[in-house]
Amino acid sequence: INQILPTARAGSTLGDVGEKAMVIRTWTRSVLRKLIGYKEHHHRLLDEAATTLELALPKDIVIKNIIPFLQLPSYTFEVEG
């Protein structure tokens, strides 16, 4: 973003949002897509770890004590288009 934004054209009229706004929106969407991907990857790893723990420990201990500790906050990210 720091390489593209300085050379992008700013909007000049009410109907023209300009390149800067479009560059920022595109960059923000790409960051959100990456965050969503990281969150999905985290959940896959969490499921794998939970399965391993369930094999080694009684299920009630895993569900009550370990899973809540490992879970990410339930933030949601929405990406347009």
Side-chain angles (χ1 to χ4, degrees):
I1 190 84
N2 290 337
Q3 295 171 352
I4 299 169
L5 200 55
T7 60
R9 186 180 58 80
S12 58
T13 62
L14 293 175
D16 181 18
V17 292
E19 288 178 78
K20 287 188 187 292
M22 297 304 293
V23 166
I24 292 169
R25 286 179 189 153
T26 302
W27 177 78
T28 303
R29 285 185 190 117
S30 72
V31 169
L32 288 175
R33 282 188 191 100
K34 288 177 185 176
L35 286 173
I36 291 167
Y38 296 147
K39 187 175 178 180
E40 290 170 355
H41 181 69
H42 172 80
H43 281 290
R44 283 193 302 273
L45 291 174
L46 179 64
D47 289 342
E48 182 181 325
T51 301
T52 302
L53 287 171
E54 286 174 355
L55 294 173
L57 298 170
K59 191 170 186 165
D60 62 328
I61 291 175
V62 173
I63 291 173
K64 290 179 184 175
N65 301 314
I66 297 172
I67 298 296
F69 177 76
L70 295 176
Q71 289 181 330
L72 285 175
S74 60
Y75 299 113
T76 58
F77 302 102
E78 295 179 12
V79 179
E80 296 176 7

